[in-house]
Amino acid sequence: MTMTQLHKQVFFIGLDGGEPDLIRRWMADGSLPTLARLYGDGVSGDVSTLPGMGDGAVWPTLISGVNPARHGRY
């Protein structure tokens, strides 16, 4: 493989505090067309808090790429 084949770009959007059902409804009814297009063309997933961890552990884990035991938030 060449370096170009290995290089991937990632664009991450985190909707902190967004209600998933409302966001999905608004994408479907055309109220959020750009987000709907990004959602349809990309990869998406829901984030949940680890058992025993407060909500504050999610963002440091996503940003650092390591688990809460390693990044020291908890």
Side-chain angles (χ1 to χ4, degrees):
M1 287 189 175
T2 67
M3 190 61 136
T4 304
Q5 291 170 321
L6 294 175
H7 180 74
K8 301 284 184 186
Q9 292 183 342
V10 175
F11 181 67
F12 177 86
I13 299 174
L15 301 175
D16 188 19
E19 175 57 48
D21 292 335
L22 290 176
I23 293 169
R24 289 185 184 105
R25 182 187 324 156
W26 294 332
M27 286 190 299
D29 76 10
S31 297
L32 298 171
T34 303
L35 191 58
R37 186 173 48 83
L38 290 168
Y39 182 83
D41 291 346
V43 176
S44 66
D46 294 335
V47 175
S48 59
T49 303
L50 298 169
M53 295 288 163
D55 291 339
V58 173
W59 287 110
T61 300
L62 288 170
I63 292 167
S64 66
V66 297
N67 69 37
R70 186 160 172 220
H71 63 57
R73 177 66 173 103
Y74 285 95

mmCIF file of all heavy atoms in Angstrom, residues 1-28:
data_model
loop_
_atom_site.group_PDB
_atom_site.id
_atom_site.type_symbol
_atom_site.label_atom_id
_atom_site.label_comp_id
_atom_site.label_asym_id
_atom_site.label_seq_id
_atom_site.Cartn_x
_atom_site.Cartn_y
_atom_site.Cartn_z
ATOM 1 N N MET A 1 0.824 -1.186 0.000
ATOM 2 C CA MET A 1 0.000 0.000 0.000
ATOM 3 C C MET A 1 0.867 1.248 0.000
ATOM 4 O O MET A 1 1.893 1.294 0.651
ATOM 5 C CB MET A 1 -0.873 0.044 1.242
ATOM 6 C CG MET A 1 -2.000 -0.917 1.256
ATOM 7 S SD MET A 1 -3.048 -0.531 2.680
ATOM 8 C CE MET A 1 -4.313 -1.690 2.361
ATOM 9 N N THR A 2 0.364 2.243 -0.685
ATOM 10 C CA THR A 2 1.070 3.523 -0.685
ATOM 11 C C THR A 2 0.595 4.360 0.502
ATOM 12 O O THR A 2 -0.420 4.059 1.127
ATOM 13 C CB THR A 2 0.789 4.298 -1.989
ATOM 14 O OG1 THR A 2 -0.593 4.682 -2.000
ATOM 15 C CG2 THR A 2 1.121 3.458 -3.214
ATOM 16 N N MET A 3 1.321 5.422 0.789
ATOM 17 C CA MET A 3 0.945 6.303 1.887
ATOM 18 C C MET A 3 -0.429 6.924 1.645
ATOM 19 O O MET A 3 -1.205 7.112 2.576
ATOM 20 C CB MET A 3 2.001 7.391 2.056
ATOM 21 C CG MET A 3 1.814 8.184 3.310
ATOM 22 S SD MET A 3 1.928 7.123 4.745
ATOM 23 C CE MET A 3 2.936 8.109 5.761
ATOM 24 N N THR A 4 -0.764 7.212 0.395
ATOM 25 C CA THR A 4 -2.065 7.785 0.071
ATOM 26 C C THR A 4 -3.184 6.816 0.414
ATOM 27 O O THR A 4 -4.234 7.214 0.909
ATOM 28 C CB THR A 4 -2.133 8.155 -1.430
ATOM 29 O OG1 THR A 4 -1.050 9.035 -1.724
ATOM 30 C CG2 THR A 4 -3.442 8.831 -1.764
ATOM 31 N N GLN A 5 -2.994 5.539 0.187
ATOM 32 C CA GLN A 5 -4.014 4.549 0.492
ATOM 33 C C GLN A 5 -4.213 4.385 1.992
ATOM 34 O O GLN A 5 -5.300 4.044 2.436
ATOM 35 C CB GLN A 5 -3.652 3.202 -0.133
ATOM 36 C CG GLN A 5 -3.729 3.211 -1.643
ATOM 37 C CD GLN A 5 -3.144 1.947 -2.243
ATOM 38 O OE1 GLN A 5 -2.130 1.444 -1.768
ATOM 39 N NE2 GLN A 5 -3.793 1.439 -3.271
ATOM 40 N N LEU A 6 -3.181 4.621 2.775
ATOM 41 C CA LEU A 6 -3.272 4.479 4.221
ATOM 42 C C LEU A 6 -3.874 5.709 4.894
ATOM 43 O O LEU A 6 -4.408 5.620 5.987
ATOM 44 C CB LEU A 6 -1.895 4.202 4.826
ATOM 45 C CG LEU A 6 -1.244 2.886 4.450
ATOM 46 C CD1 LEU A 6 0.160 2.812 5.013
ATOM 47 C CD2 LEU A 6 -2.076 1.722 4.948
ATOM 48 N N HIS A 7 -3.786 6.864 4.256
ATOM 49 C CA HIS A 7 -4.242 8.121 4.838
ATOM 50 C C HIS A 7 -5.763 8.224 4.734
ATOM 51 O O HIS A 7 -6.323 8.206 3.657
ATOM 52 C CB HIS A 7 -3.582 9.298 4.126
ATOM 53 C CG HIS A 7 -3.997 10.629 4.672
ATOM 54 N ND1 HIS A 7 -3.552 11.089 5.876
ATOM 55 C CD2 HIS A 7 -4.822 11.569 4.184
ATOM 56 C CE1 HIS A 7 -4.089 12.280 6.105
ATOM 57 N NE2 HIS A 7 -4.862 12.587 5.089
ATOM 58 N N LYS A 8 -6.398 8.334 5.883
ATOM 59 C CA LYS A 8 -7.847 8.503 5.930
ATOM 60 C C LYS A 8 -8.151 9.775 6.710
ATOM 61 O O LYS A 8 -7.491 10.086 7.699
ATOM 62 C CB LYS A 8 -8.528 7.325 6.634
ATOM 63 C CG LYS A 8 -8.278 5.992 5.993
ATOM 64 C CD LYS A 8 -9.091 5.841 4.749
ATOM 65 C CE LYS A 8 -8.879 4.451 4.190
ATOM 66 N NZ LYS A 8 -9.484 4.235 2.934
ATOM 67 N N GLN A 9 -9.149 10.503 6.281
ATOM 68 C CA GLN A 9 -9.568 11.690 7.005
ATOM 69 C C GLN A 9 -10.781 11.360 7.852
ATOM 70 O O GLN A 9 -11.656 10.604 7.434
ATOM 71 C CB GLN A 9 -9.904 12.816 6.041
ATOM 72 C CG GLN A 9 -8.701 13.341 5.304
ATOM 73 C CD GLN A 9 -9.052 14.506 4.395
ATOM 74 O OE1 GLN A 9 -10.205 14.713 4.061
ATOM 75 N NE2 GLN A 9 -8.053 15.256 4.009
ATOM 76 N N VAL A 10 -10.820 11.932 9.032
ATOM 77 C CA VAL A 10 -11.935 11.730 9.951
ATOM 78 C C VAL A 10 -12.489 13.094 10.335
ATOM 79 O O VAL A 10 -11.744 14.006 10.694
ATOM 80 C CB VAL A 10 -11.488 10.977 11.222
ATOM 81 C CG1 VAL A 10 -12.630 10.883 12.222
ATOM 82 C CG2 VAL A 10 -10.963 9.600 10.867
ATOM 83 N N PHE A 11 -13.781 13.211 10.242
ATOM 84 C CA PHE A 11 -14.485 14.414 10.680
ATOM 85 C C PHE A 11 -15.472 13.962 11.736
ATOM 86 O O PHE A 11 -16.396 13.211 11.447
ATOM 87 C CB PHE A 11 -15.194 15.076 9.490
ATOM 88 C CG PHE A 11 -15.928 16.336 9.843
ATOM 89 C CD1 PHE A 11 -15.234 17.464 10.239
ATOM 90 C CD2 PHE A 11 -17.308 16.397 9.758
ATOM 91 C CE1 PHE A 11 -15.901 18.634 10.562
ATOM 92 C CE2 PHE A 11 -17.980 17.561 10.066
ATOM 93 C CZ PHE A 11 -17.280 18.679 10.469
ATOM 94 N N PHE A 12 -15.253 14.375 12.968
ATOM 95 C CA PHE A 12 -16.049 13.904 14.092
ATOM 96 C C PHE A 12 -16.984 15.014 14.552
ATOM 97 O O PHE A 12 -16.546 16.137 14.791
ATOM 98 C CB PHE A 12 -15.115 13.494 15.238
ATOM 99 C CG PHE A 12 -15.829 13.063 16.482
ATOM 100 C CD1 PHE A 12 -16.253 11.751 16.628
ATOM 101 C CD2 PHE A 12 -16.087 13.966 17.496
ATOM 102 C CE1 PHE A 12 -16.914 11.348 17.780
ATOM 103 C CE2 PHE A 12 -16.740 13.576 18.650
ATOM 104 C CZ PHE A 12 -17.159 12.260 18.786
ATOM 105 N N ILE A 13 -18.262 14.695 14.666
ATOM 106 C CA ILE A 13 -19.242 15.627 15.216
ATOM 107 C C ILE A 13 -19.851 14.968 16.443
ATOM 108 O O ILE A 13 -20.419 13.878 16.351
ATOM 109 C CB ILE A 13 -20.362 15.951 14.208
ATOM 110 C CG1 ILE A 13 -19.791 16.610 12.964
ATOM 111 C CG2 ILE A 13 -21.419 16.839 14.857
ATOM 112 C CD1 ILE A 13 -20.818 16.824 11.869
ATOM 113 N N GLY A 14 -19.726 15.610 17.568
ATOM 114 C CA GLY A 14 -20.339 15.110 18.800
ATOM 115 C C GLY A 14 -21.428 16.064 19.237
ATOM 116 O O GLY A 14 -21.173 17.242 19.424
ATOM 117 N N LEU A 15 -22.630 15.569 19.346
ATOM 118 C CA LEU A 15 -23.750 16.410 19.759
ATOM 119 C C LEU A 15 -24.022 16.162 21.242
ATOM 120 O O LEU A 15 -24.894 15.382 21.613
ATOM 121 C CB LEU A 15 -24.986 16.106 18.902
ATOM 122 C CG LEU A 15 -24.798 16.331 17.406
ATOM 123 C CD1 LEU A 15 -26.021 15.893 16.633
ATOM 124 C CD2 LEU A 15 -24.490 17.794 17.127
ATOM 125 N N ASP A 16 -23.273 16.838 22.078
ATOM 126 C CA ASP A 16 -23.381 16.673 23.522
ATOM 127 C C ASP A 16 -24.697 17.283 23.999
ATOM 128 O O ASP A 16 -24.983 18.445 23.753
ATOM 129 C CB ASP A 16 -22.201 17.369 24.196
ATOM 130 C CG ASP A 16 -22.125 17.088 25.682
ATOM 131 O OD1 ASP A 16 -22.729 16.098 26.137
ATOM 132 O OD2 ASP A 16 -21.458 17.854 26.390
ATOM 133 N N GLY A 17 -25.482 16.494 24.661
ATOM 134 C CA GLY A 17 -26.757 16.980 25.182
ATOM 135 C C GLY A 17 -27.874 16.980 24.162
ATOM 136 O O GLY A 17 -28.980 17.409 24.458
ATOM 137 N N GLY A 18 -27.598 16.517 22.945
ATOM 138 C CA GLY A 18 -28.641 16.443 21.927
ATOM 139 C C GLY A 18 -29.539 15.238 22.169
ATOM 140 O O GLY A 18 -29.055 14.166 22.513
ATOM 141 N N GLU A 19 -30.828 15.419 22.015
ATOM 142 C CA GLU A 19 -31.779 14.322 22.177
ATOM 143 C C GLU A 19 -31.830 13.529 20.861
ATOM 144 O O GLU A 19 -32.297 14.047 19.844
ATOM 145 C CB GLU A 19 -33.162 14.866 22.528
ATOM 146 C CG GLU A 19 -34.249 13.831 22.594
ATOM 147 C CD GLU A 19 -33.952 12.708 23.572
ATOM 148 O OE1 GLU A 19 -33.561 12.989 24.719
ATOM 149 O OE2 GLU A 19 -34.108 11.539 23.165
ATOM 150 N N PRO A 20 -31.325 12.284 20.850
ATOM 151 C CA PRO A 20 -31.224 11.519 19.604
ATOM 152 C C PRO A 20 -32.539 11.389 18.830
ATOM 153 O O PRO A 20 -32.547 11.513 17.605
ATOM 154 C CB PRO A 20 -30.729 10.144 20.054
ATOM 155 C CG PRO A 20 -30.038 10.404 21.353
ATOM 156 C CD PRO A 20 -30.791 11.537 21.993
ATOM 157 N N ASP A 21 -33.649 11.163 19.523
ATOM 158 C CA ASP A 21 -34.927 11.019 18.819
ATOM 159 C C ASP A 21 -35.331 12.306 18.102
ATOM 160 O O ASP A 21 -35.828 12.273 16.976
ATOM 161 C CB ASP A 21 -36.037 10.597 19.785
ATOM 162 C CG ASP A 21 -35.840 9.186 20.314
ATOM 163 O OD1 ASP A 21 -35.164 8.382 19.627
ATOM 164 O OD2 ASP A 21 -36.351 8.886 21.407
ATOM 165 N N LEU A 22 -35.107 13.448 18.744
ATOM 166 C CA LEU A 22 -35.434 14.727 18.100
ATOM 167 C C LEU A 22 -34.514 14.994 16.922
ATOM 168 O O LEU A 22 -34.966 15.436 15.861
ATOM 169 C CB LEU A 22 -35.321 15.873 19.115
ATOM 170 C CG LEU A 22 -36.383 15.926 20.205
ATOM 171 C CD1 LEU A 22 -36.071 17.052 21.192
ATOM 172 C CD2 LEU A 22 -37.767 16.101 19.607
ATOM 173 N N ILE A 23 -33.231 14.745 17.085
ATOM 174 C CA ILE A 23 -32.282 14.980 15.991
ATOM 175 C C ILE A 23 -32.638 14.114 14.787
ATOM 176 O O ILE A 23 -32.658 14.588 13.652
ATOM 177 C CB ILE A 23 -30.833 14.743 16.466
ATOM 178 C CG1 ILE A 23 -30.444 15.821 17.494
ATOM 179 C CG2 ILE A 23 -29.862 14.741 15.285
ATOM 180 C CD1 ILE A 23 -29.160 15.557 18.229
ATOM 181 N N ARG A 24 -32.941 12.844 15.027
ATOM 182 C CA ARG A 24 -33.323 11.952 13.924
ATOM 183 C C ARG A 24 -34.621 12.425 13.257
ATOM 184 O O ARG A 24 -34.746 12.382 12.036
ATOM 185 C CB ARG A 24 -33.449 10.523 14.419
ATOM 186 C CG ARG A 24 -32.106 9.896 14.748
ATOM 187 C CD ARG A 24 -32.242 8.425 15.137
ATOM 188 N NE ARG A 24 -30.961 7.893 15.526
ATOM 189 C CZ ARG A 24 -30.594 7.647 16.784
ATOM 190 N NH1 ARG A 24 -31.431 7.834 17.782
ATOM 191 N NH2 ARG A 24 -29.387 7.181 17.057
ATOM 192 N N ARG A 25 -35.575 12.873 14.055
ATOM 193 C CA ARG A 25 -36.837 13.372 13.496
ATOM 194 C C ARG A 25 -36.591 14.595 12.627
ATOM 195 O O ARG A 25 -37.125 14.727 11.534
ATOM 196 C CB ARG A 25 -37.818 13.714 14.612
ATOM 197 C CG ARG A 25 -39.164 14.186 14.075
ATOM 198 C CD ARG A 25 -40.134 14.692 15.118
ATOM 199 N NE ARG A 25 -40.094 13.975 16.373
ATOM 200 C CZ ARG A 25 -40.488 14.492 17.534
ATOM 201 N NH1 ARG A 25 -40.966 15.712 17.597
ATOM 202 N NH2 ARG A 25 -40.423 13.786 18.644
ATOM 203 N N TRP A 26 -35.778 15.527 13.125
ATOM 204 C CA TRP A 26 -35.500 16.743 12.377
ATOM 205 C C TRP A 26 -34.679 16.475 11.117
ATOM 206 O O TRP A 26 -34.832 17.168 10.118
ATOM 207 C CB TRP A 26 -34.809 17.765 13.268
ATOM 208 C CG TRP A 26 -35.691 18.260 14.388
ATOM 209 C CD1 TRP A 26 -37.058 18.329 14.390
ATOM 210 C CD2 TRP A 26 -35.279 18.726 15.662
ATOM 211 N NE1 TRP A 26 -37.511 18.815 15.586
ATOM 212 C CE2 TRP A 26 -36.441 19.076 16.399
ATOM 213 C CE3 TRP A 26 -34.040 18.886 16.261
ATOM 214 C CZ2 TRP A 26 -36.393 19.575 17.682
ATOM 215 C CZ3 TRP A 26 -33.992 19.384 17.562
ATOM 216 C CH2 TRP A 26 -35.152 19.734 18.247
ATOM 217 N N MET A 27 -33.809 15.465 11.150
ATOM 218 C CA MET A 27 -33.100 15.088 9.921
ATOM 219 C C MET A 27 -34.092 14.534 8.914
ATOM 220 O O MET A 27 -34.043 14.861 7.728
ATOM 221 C CB MET A 27 -31.992 14.070 10.220
ATOM 222 C CG MET A 27 -30.789 14.667 10.903
ATOM 223 S SD MET A 27 -29.363 13.555 11.002
ATOM 224 C CE MET A 27 -29.987 12.189 11.967
ATOM 225 N N ALA A 28 -35.012 13.692 9.378
ATOM 226 C CA ALA A 28 -35.994 13.054 8.485
ATOM 227 C C ALA A 28 -36.975 14.055 7.898
ATOM 228 O O ALA A 28 -37.367 13.924 6.733
ATOM 229 C CB ALA A 28 -36.748 11.963 9.242
#
